[in-house]
Amino acid sequence: MFKRPYQYVRKTYLALTNSIIFLPSLMAIFSVGLSIFMMTFENSELSKEAKEVLKFALVTGADNARFVLNAFIGGIISLMVFNFSMVMVVLNQAATAFSPRVVPGVLTNKSYQIVLGTYLATILYCLLLIVNIGKTEEGIYIPQLSIFVGMCFGVLSLVLFIYFIHSISRSVQVDNIILMVYNKTFNELESKKVSNYQDYQTVFDKVSDWHTIISNQSGYFRECNREKIVKLAKKYDIELFINLEEGSFLVIGTPLLKVNKEIGLEAMNEILEEFVFYDNEYIQDNYVYGIKQLSEIATKALSPGINDPETAIRTINYMTLIFIEKALREGVYCYTDKEGTQRLWEETYSLYNLMYRYISPILYYGKSDVMVMDRLFAMIECLLSAERIKGKLDIAKIDSLLLEFHFTIKGNIEGEQKNYLNKTLIRINLLLSSSGFQVPFFE
């Protein structure tokens, strides 16, 4: 644990922030602090003035105070149980109907956490008030202003319950799940500066004779502390190249890094400590995980048990937008130090590799559905016609992908279906005319 502080801290942070109990726990702690503050505030002059203003809403009598607080506690506990049950139903449906990998995204929905946190905070607050109602040397002590605040929390909980019912009914809709994954993926991809990408072949030629550093861990490489690695590179006056993509599985002894000159064991260990290996996939770490989730949602929709091609088509549309944005960011990502010196290069998935990897399952399961196949061809058409990425596509690889589509589909369509797809192929061939490539028509 202490040998890899960044990895431990990062894993702990992700485990906490992606847990459904994160915000509720913080709100529960806040409620305890608020109850202590309100008990102290009850004896102040300002409290007496507030009681005069709010006299119409204050509880009188110890029995009435206990009754009101008990009613809120019992009712909110029932609401809390119901809400937790509904969240579990949503998680089960998300994992079954869409993909198990979208579950962390649903869990981190802040609205659910705020609702559950308000319930928990209200219960704890009211419990602490109940135990402070009783006889004192000066008579029966009733924290009227504190109870009024507790009543406000109770009413807020009822309002949030109505909001929760509305929110939970929307969250199980497939369109909202797809949109949530798309937005997270697109935002993460957009955060990568286009100017920081360098040509694959140029960088590969540069690092071909560099020294190799092997991994001292096994597992899925999820991320690394790039800022710290750049600082270490500057400290030891070296340049580094991460020669595998995030999400890759590796074992101890697998090549992980390349360095432009030999370094000592201490420096090597310092650098390796900044790499994090864990099992979960969070879109905020890598946009590729979002593309994978969209692909799995589309594939699941095309399975015989669900048979929902419209969902697959909608998912392909969003993937098209992501691929267009990715085309602007082709190459090896470069990180510089504060002086502008290039210190770290990181290999990334090429657009072709991403498309082949995550379109292939959709192609296989949807090859007999002419509408899904037409949408896949239309995806290529959009890429070829998008003004933003003119000249950035590897046409030879795009043509290879089109031929893969053609070969997979041709034995699964007939008659009018072929004519329907040929209309899209005519438009694609027009876009490819200047390159010399042409996609054969279905006959």
Side-chain angles (χ1 to χ4, degrees):
M1 179 176 78
F2 298 103
K3 290 182 179 180
R4 298 188 174 93
Y6 174 74
Q7 181 167 168
Y8 174 72
V9 171
R10 182 62 176 166
K11 281 184 177 180
T12 304
Y13 169 78
L14 288 171
L16 288 174
T17 56
N18 288 282
S19 169
I20 198 171
I21 65 170
F22 176 61
L23 277 180
S25 299
L26 294 181
M27 295 176 73
I29 295 171
F30 170 77
S31 72
V32 173
L34 179 63
S35 64
I36 295 173
F37 169 77
M38 289 301 301
M39 293 296 182
T40 307
F41 181 71
E42 284 283 346
N43 300 319
S44 67
E45 291 298 322
L46 187 59
S47 171
K48 294 177 182 178
E49 295 177 9
K51 288 179 181 179
E52 286 296 321
V53 175
L54 299 170
K55 186 184 296 184
F56 68 95
L58 299 180
V59 175
T60 56
D63 290 338
N64 287 341
R66 290 192 184 95
F67 174 79
V68 170
L69 293 175
N70 280 325
F72 275 121
I73 291 172
I76 293 172
I77 287 176
S78 299
L79 294 183
M80 196 171 182
V81 171
F82 174 80
N83 284 16
F84 267 115
S85 301
M86 289 299 295
V87 169
M88 292 304 107
V89 169
V90 169
L91 294 181
N92 181 64
Q93 180 164 340
T96 304
F98 309 127
S99 167
R101 290 180 181 82
V102 305
V103 170
V106 177
L107 276 176
T108 53
N109 189 318
K110 293 298 184 289
S111 62
Y112 299 164
Q113 296 187 26
I114 290 172
V115 172
L116 296 174
T118 303
Y119 292 168
L120 185 59
T122 304
I123 291 169
L124 288 176
Y125 182 85
C126 292
L127 282 173
L128 290 172
L129 291 184
I130 285 179
V131 300
N132 281 280
I133 298 175
K135 292 182 179 180
T136 63
E137 294 179 357
E138 301 175 356
I140 297 178
Y141 174 69
I142 304 174
Q144 292 178 305
L145 202 59
S146 300
I147 292 173
F148 174 75
V149 172
M151 292 166 59
C152 291
F153 272 125
V155 173
L156 176 62
S157 297
L158 294 176
V159 173
L160 288 177
F161 174 72
I162 297 172
Y163 165 77
F164 178 83
I165 295 299
H166 168 74
S167 177
I168 205 78
S169 64
R170 285 174 50 83
S171 66
V172 297
Q173 297 172 15
V174 64
D175 289 350
N176 291 324
I177 294 283
I178 294 172
L179 187 60
M180 176 196 73
V181 176
Y182 164 74
N183 285 332
K184 288 184 177 181
T185 305
F186 189 86
N187 291 338
E188 173 60 21
L189 178 57
E190 200 174 32
S191 68
K192 304 290 185 182
K193 294 181 180 178
V194 176
S195 59
N196 284 23
Y197 283 88
Q198 298 182 2
D199 179 65
Y200 285 111
Q201 197 57 50
T202 302
V203 177
F204 292 160
D205 291 341
K206 177 178 180 177
V207 305
S208 60
D209 58 348
W210 284 12
H211 303 279
T212 299
I213 297 177
I214 62 175
S215 172
N216 59 358
Q217 303 178 67
S218 296
Y220 288 96
F221 165 46
R222 294 304 188 199
E223 65 164 25
C224 59
N225 188 349
R226 296 166 182 83
E227 184 178 348
K228 181 66 179 296
I229 292 174
V230 169
K231 290 180 180 178
L232 290 172
K234 181 181 178 182
K235 174 183 175 181
Y236 294 108
D237 191 25
I238 57 176
E239 297 175 9
L240 294 163
F241 173 67
I242 303 174
N243 64 339
L244 78 166
E245 302 90 351
E246 284 187 355
S248 301
F249 181 81
L250 68 166
V251 297
I252 294 175
T254 302
L256 175 60
L257 285 162
K258 285 190 173 185
V259 59
N260 64 331
K261 61 183 180 182
E262 291 188 8
I263 57 176
L265 185 61
E266 180 183 351
M268 188 185 303
N269 287 333
E270 279 189 73
I271 294 169
L272 290 174
E273 284 173 6
E274 302 306 322
F275 285 79
V276 180
F277 294 75
Y278 53 86
D279 291 329
N280 293 331
E281 298 178 350
Y282 303 110
I283 297 176
Q284 61 266 33
D285 289 342
N286 192 339
Y287 65 88
V288 176
Y289 303 149
I291 298 174
K292 179 191 289 187
Q293 290 181 17
L294 288 173
S295 174
E296 290 179 348
I297 291 172
T299 305
K300 202 71 167 286
L302 292 171
S303 65
I306 297 178
N307 192 24
D308 182 11
E310 187 58 38
T311 293
I313 291 171
R314 186 176 180 83
T315 306
I316 293 168
N317 290 337
Y318 282 118
M319 292 176 74
T320 303
L321 297 176
I322 293 172
F323 288 145
I324 291 174
E325 195 68 23
K326 166 59 182 169
L328 296 171
R329 294 164 172 79
E330 276 289 86
V332 178
Y333 200 76
C334 178
Y335 299 86
T336 60
D337 59 24
K338 293 182 178 179
E339 285 71 37
T341 304
Q342 295 176 343
R343 294 292 182 183
L344 176 65
W345 288 267
E346 181 179 7
E347 186 172 352
T348 63
Y349 288 103
S350 70
L351 174 64
Y352 174 77
N353 286 340
L354 283 176
M355 292 183 68
Y356 187 82
R357 175 177 291 195
Y358 297 116
I359 294 300
S360 292
I362 303 174
L363 179 65
Y364 177 79
Y365 282 97
K367 60 189 175 184
S368 58
D369 191 308
V370 68
M371 298 306 296
V372 174
M373 292 303 97
D374 183 65
R375 192 61 247 171
L376 287 179
F377 279 120
M379 170 191 283
I380 303 297
E381 182 186 356
C382 290
L383 287 169
L384 292 171
S385 59
E387 288 293 332
R388 296 174 64 205
I389 56 175
K390 288 288 186 182
K392 295 183 178 293
L393 295 176
D394 188 331
I395 300 299
K397 289 185 177 179
I398 293 296
D399 186 65
S400 174
L401 200 60
L402 285 167
L403 292 176
E404 179 77 17
F405 288 1
H406 189 282
F407 177 79
T408 304
I409 298 169
K410 66 180 182 180
N412 294 280
I413 58 173
E414 55 186 20
E416 189 58 34
Q417 293 178 332
K418 294 180 180 181
N419 295 331
Y420 187 85
L421 293 180
N422 283 337
K423 293 176 183 178
T424 306
L425 292 182
I426 291 172
R427 298 194 299 270
I428 291 175
N429 283 334
L430 285 174
L431 293 169
L432 289 172
S433 58
S434 60
S435 67
F437 293 103
Q438 291 289 286
V439 185
F441 294 110
F442 293 104
E443 297 177 355

